[in-house]
Amino acid sequence: MTHESTAVGLASAYSNATTASGDWWRDAVIYQVYVRSFADSDGDGIGDLRGVRSRLPHLARLGVDAVWLTPFYVSPQADGGYDVADYRAVDPLFGDLADADELVRAAHELGLRVIVDVVPNHTSERHPWFRAALAGEPGARERYLFRRGRGADGSLPPNDWESIFGGPAWTRVADGEWYLHLFAPEQPDLDWTHPEVTAEFDSVLRFWLDLGVDGFRIDVAHGMVKADGLPDIGRGAQATLIGTEPLPFFDQDGVHEIHRAWRRLLDSYEGARIGVAEAWAPSSERLALYVRPDELHQAFNFRFLNCPWDPGAMRTVIDESLSATTAVGAPTTWVLSNHDVVRHVTRYGGGAQGLARARAAAMLMLSLPGSAYLYQGEELGLPEVADLPPESRQDPAFRRGRRQQIPAPSVDPAPGPGPAAPGIIAPRPGEPTPPQSAPSPHSQPESGAGPQPQACCVPQTQAGAGPGPDPLTAPQAHAPTRPQTEAGTGPQAQACCGPQADLLTAPQAHGPTRPQAETGTGPQAQAGTGPEAEPGAGPAPEPCTAPQAHGPTRPQAETGTGPQAQACCGPQAVTGAGPEAEMGGGAGGDPLTAPEADGQDGLRDGCRVPIPWAGAEPPYGFGPVGSWLPQPPEWAGLSVAAQTGDPHSTLELYRAALELRRAMPGLGAPEAGPSPDPRGMRWLPSPDGVLLFTRPGFACTLNTRPEPVELPAPGRPVLSSAPVETDGRTVRLPPDSCTWWAF
């Protein structure tokens, strides 16, 4: 007999009901919503909180336990919201505080918990604290990491640290001091030894907990504490070392006291509020320290995401991950995609093969002990959009440019994120851009090897269409009214970042070039382009572009084996790249062929294209008109509406897998407390290329080979990513497939 790939309606009584246990997070399936690209309620082409609320029933029907929202706070959007100017207000681009409150209430009514991002390593340069620091307010600089430069005249950076995004991690201000930014210059690092920093974030967490959120995903949870004295590293290409070697700016022991304090704060609230660490550590054992009983509840396990399509590597990662977290009584987390990495359909080879492997990998992930994270659209089998026209790309790294000179401040900073002091902060979208400053004698040369001094600077505004309301120059965004904003205008339309470093050196190297759409007068994409915006060919498989862990600090790893294997994957040091190497709006050359600074490639927009909901043409129900990134015309068959009810669709496979995960007692979380054998998981002998393990009453087989494999049937098939042939005694596993069994 042949067992079909999916089954619909399994264990329906368990759907949409989160566990009543206080330990709900130990086996939770958490769905990441990239707010900008999920659903647009007001027709500006950009997703928003009302849009998310309107689509919550999809998540409830899918069967997830919680939703994690990327940042929606007041921000200049220099880094897709990970540059926060006001931690207690919603950016008008996404709505207002009333929208956030209503979303949380609506989610809870559907049995969904809500986790929000918190960004504690750095603020926006438009945060009132940093504005005060630039204006010379006494004591204001002590909240950040300002230092005098080296050399006789202080013109060299204080140490050799590099930004994750490429170039030095230091920027010099008018009076000669330098400030640290491990990410973009618009994101100055906080000094967590200052008591006001600690008190402020305690207050921020309480603000959102009081509103009803169920926890926080902590951005750069490993980065808030730096080694005493800020010592040199002594080598370049430092982004390649993240997660592999000890570094003086990441994974310092002092971060654990911060997380212990936050755990005490979370535990003081009812309802099992949780903390999730986005943390990179040199080993599984170091990562496990973040989830000790008195620290955070979960830490992202990016080793699984970075694992190649190879059974030996997968088994090693699974064993080591389970061993490390089980030793401290914590669950392991599993993830395959997020907003900073190439979607795993494409990483696994693209096309039919990539989709088959992606479906199988998802079933493997959902059968493992612990908690799983899904990235929006993976339940639809979405591939990476590898051929976006350059003028529509919004990844801030794509258009890195020379920053402007910071003159001496002449006015006091505003008390909140109001108008920028003249000459201190770059203009918002639609404001005039100052003339380009002359290259500094300390600018990074084109050779780009190792850290180079950087000129005094502020960010340069990008050209775009007309300005929309600016939450940083308007009254506080806590007001209930929601101003309409122009989509795609300058940095407001930029997506979030996180380093990747792909050796992509040719434009649209992975497939046919998509004809370029009418996207406005500048490099930013316009909303409302409608179906005519993307008449070109569909996405072709893209080589691994350095999958990184969610958030902006991820090293990369190989993905794929055999002919599909891509030679990449670590934040590779790409030669070149002073600011003059960056091209904007098509000026002076193709940005995809320009030399890049060590750090990232700026091509993460391909995984952030708004997802399709229904219809035959873009924007596929994403919103009334258009989308901030153009959607491929061939996505009509991948929409939620098109896949619903099709038992062979990827969407119905995910729905069935999540129902079974709830219904089968052998799946889900390991028991609390140290155990060498989480929830009875046991590997069994299997043919080459096949993984076979059991849990109580359950077995999982994964065939990674490109041809079928026969073996004794381990039980009764209940779900498979591809049709399997079995006579009850033996089974013929399809290539690149995963099957669940009951016994």
Side-chain angles (χ1 to χ4, degrees):
M1 60 169 284
T2 298
H3 184 82
E4 295 296 336
S5 58
T6 65
V8 181
L10 296 171
S12 59
Y14 292 84
S15 297
N16 305 336
T18 55
T19 176
S21 166
D23 287 344
W24 66 270
W25 45 274
R26 297 188 69 87
D27 63 350
V29 177
I30 300 172
Y31 187 99
Q32 181 193 355
V33 164
Y34 190 68
V35 175
R36 180 185 294 271
S37 298
F38 197 64
D40 170 25
S41 72
D42 58 10
D44 65 0
I46 298 174
D48 47 51
L49 296 182
R50 290 183 186 175
V52 175
R53 181 186 174 194
S54 73
R55 296 295 187 177
L56 288 177
H58 166 70
L59 302 184
R61 182 176 179 185
L62 184 62
V64 300
D65 301 295
V67 55
W68 153 34
L69 303 172
T70 55
F72 49 78
Y73 313 113
V74 169
S75 165
Q77 303 295 322
D79 182 15
Y82 285 91
D83 52 317
V84 181
D86 186 343
Y87 289 86
R88 298 176 182 82
V90 175
D91 196 299
L93 190 66
F94 304 119
D96 56 36
L97 199 58
D99 292 325
D101 181 66
E102 291 168 6
L103 191 160
V104 171
R105 292 174 185 272
H108 288 168
E109 289 173 1
L110 290 169
L112 298 168
R113 290 176 168 88
V114 178
I115 296 170
V116 299
D117 255 304
V118 65
V119 187
N121 179 72
H122 47 263
T123 70
S124 165
E125 64 180 352
R126 291 214 177 174
H127 191 284
W129 280 2
F130 195 71
R131 293 155 60 88
L134 289 183
E137 182 178 304
R141 291 192 180 183
E142 295 175 6
R143 303 176 183 128
Y144 295 90
L145 290 162
F146 278 84
R147 296 292 186 273
R148 302 301 301 179
R150 295 195 289 197
D153 57 355
S155 62
L156 298 176
N159 65 22
D160 66 358
W161 293 2
E162 296 173 353
S163 165
I164 305 305
F165 294 166
W170 296 90
T171 289
R172 198 179 191 194
V173 298
D175 62 10
E177 282 201 320
W178 299 73
Y179 69 87
L180 179 70
H181 53 85
L182 292 179
F183 299 92
E186 296 93 338
Q187 296 166 288
D189 278 43
L190 289 161
D191 185 347
W192 270 84
T193 66
H194 197 292
E196 289 184 25
V197 175
T198 302
E200 170 66 3
F201 277 90
D202 282 354
S203 173
V204 167
L205 296 186
R206 290 187 183 280
F207 178 88
W208 292 104
L209 290 168
D210 290 342
L211 186 127
V213 305
D214 299 284
F216 301 94
R217 176 264 188 189
I218 301 164
D219 186 63
V220 197
H222 55 299
M224 291 108 83
V225 173
K226 282 70 175 177
D228 291 343
L230 311 183
D232 283 342
I233 294 173
R235 54 191 292 193
Q238 293 164 12
T240 65
L241 309 179
I242 298 170
T244 63
E245 297 185 18
L247 292 169
F249 50 71
F250 282 159
D251 193 40
Q252 296 295 301
D253 288 340
V255 299
H256 296 290
E257 189 51 48
I258 298 171
H259 299 320
R260 289 189 186 97
W262 284 4
R263 177 59 180 264
R264 292 191 293 270
L265 190 157
L266 290 166
D267 287 348
S268 71
Y269 281 78
E270 295 182 355
R273 317 293 180 94
I274 70 168
V276 182
E278 183 232 11
W280 277 98
S283 67
S284 296
E285 290 73 23
R286 287 288 301 181
L287 184 63
L289 299 180
Y290 290 82
V291 290
R292 288 176 288 190
D294 61 343
E295 294 197 36
L296 301 175
H297 299 76
Q298 294 182 347
F300 286 130
N301 177 16
F302 298 121
R303 293 186 63 203
F304 185 73
L305 181 151
N306 288 337
C307 190
W309 186 253
D310 175 81
M314 289 178 176
R315 178 168 174 171
T316 296
V317 166
I318 291 168
D319 284 344
E320 291 181 355
S321 300
L322 289 172
S323 175
T325 55
T326 303
V328 296
T332 303
T333 64
W334 312 99
V335 63
L336 289 168
S337 282
N338 61 48
H339 70 289
D340 281 329
V341 307
V342 172
R343 287 186 176 274
H344 59 280
V345 168
T346 301
R347 293 203 323 269
Y348 287 143
Q353 181 186 65
L355 180 58
R357 290 176 170 181
R359 287 161 58 97
M363 285 188 61
L364 172 66
M365 174 180 72
L366 292 171
S367 67
L368 295 170
S371 178
Y373 281 77
L374 309 181
Y375 177 52
Q376 66 177 43
E378 75 170 77
E379 78 275 20
L380 305 177
L382 297 185
E384 188 82 356
V385 181
D387 53 356
L388 288 169
E391 68 270 18
S392 74
R393 290 189 178 274
Q394 305 295 311
D395 185 341
F398 186 76
R399 302 186 188 281
R400 282 192 302 265
R402 184 180 296 110
R403 286 173 43 97
Q404 303 294 310
Q405 188 104 2
I406 296 184
S410 57
V411 298
D412 292 332
I424 297 179
I425 303 297
R428 291 278 282 179
E431 297 174 358
T433 303
Q436 182 99 333
S437 61
S440 163
H442 306 298
S443 295
Q444 184 174 358
E446 289 190 357
S447 61
Q452 300 291 337
Q454 180 166 321
C456 309
C457 54
V458 299
Q460 181 174 343
T461 304
Q462 305 199 11
D470 184 349
L472 301 180
T473 59
Q476 281 287 353
H478 303 268
T481 334
R482 182 174 192 183
Q484 301 292 317
T485 59
E486 296 283 345
T489 55
Q492 266 199 339
Q494 288 180 342
C496 167
C497 58
Q500 293 187 7
D502 182 23
L503 300 183
L504 176 61
T505 58
Q508 318 303 338
H510 311 303
T513 303
R514 185 182 298 276
Q516 298 192 355
E518 290 292 326
T519 54
T521 59
Q524 306 298 333
Q526 294 288 331
T529 54
E532 68 276 10
E534 283 284 324
E542 179 171 350
C544 170
T545 60
Q548 304 143 345
H550 175 63
T553 63
R554 355 298 174 214
Q556 281 69 4
E558 290 189 21
T559 60
T561 58
Q564 293 78 30
Q566 305 301 332
C568 75
C569 292
Q572 309 269 354
V574 183
T575 305
E580 58 276 6
E582 179 62 24
M583 313 295 178
D590 190 323
L592 299 182
T593 60
E596 295 283 355
D598 296 348
Q600 64 174 353
D601 60 19
L603 301 180
R604 279 172 303 276
D605 295 304
C607 66
R608 301 170 181 173
V609 174
I611 66 175
W613 293 97
E617 296 179 332
Y620 305 116
F622 168 68
V625 291
S627 58
W628 69 282
L629 286 172
Q631 300 158 301
E634 62 274 16
W635 273 16
L638 298 178
S639 72
V640 173
Q643 295 194 46
T644 294
D646 177 359
H648 303 291
S649 71
T650 301
L651 175 58
E652 294 297 355
L653 176 68
Y654 271 73
R655 286 172 172 169
L658 291 173
E659 285 185 303
L660 278 173
R661 181 180 165 94
R662 292 176 182 274
M664 299 185 72
L667 294 180
E671 299 295 339
S675 168
D677 188 14
R679 207 67 181 278
M681 180 173 169
R682 184 164 63 97
W683 295 104
L684 298 182
S686 58
D688 290 343
V690 174
L691 292 179
L692 170 58
F693 66 86
T694 63
R695 300 180 68 186
F698 170 86
C700 178
T701 54
L702 177 75
N703 180 17
T704 66
R705 291 165 61 170
E707 67 277 339
V709 176
E710 290 191 3
L711 71 159
R716 173 177 60 87
V718 293
L719 187 65
S720 180
S721 65
V724 295
E725 298 176 9
T726 179
D727 59 8
R729 295 184 300 273
T730 61
V731 60
R732 183 177 172 87
L733 298 176
D736 296 322
S737 70
C738 184
T739 305
W740 288 0
W741 308 81
F743 58 85

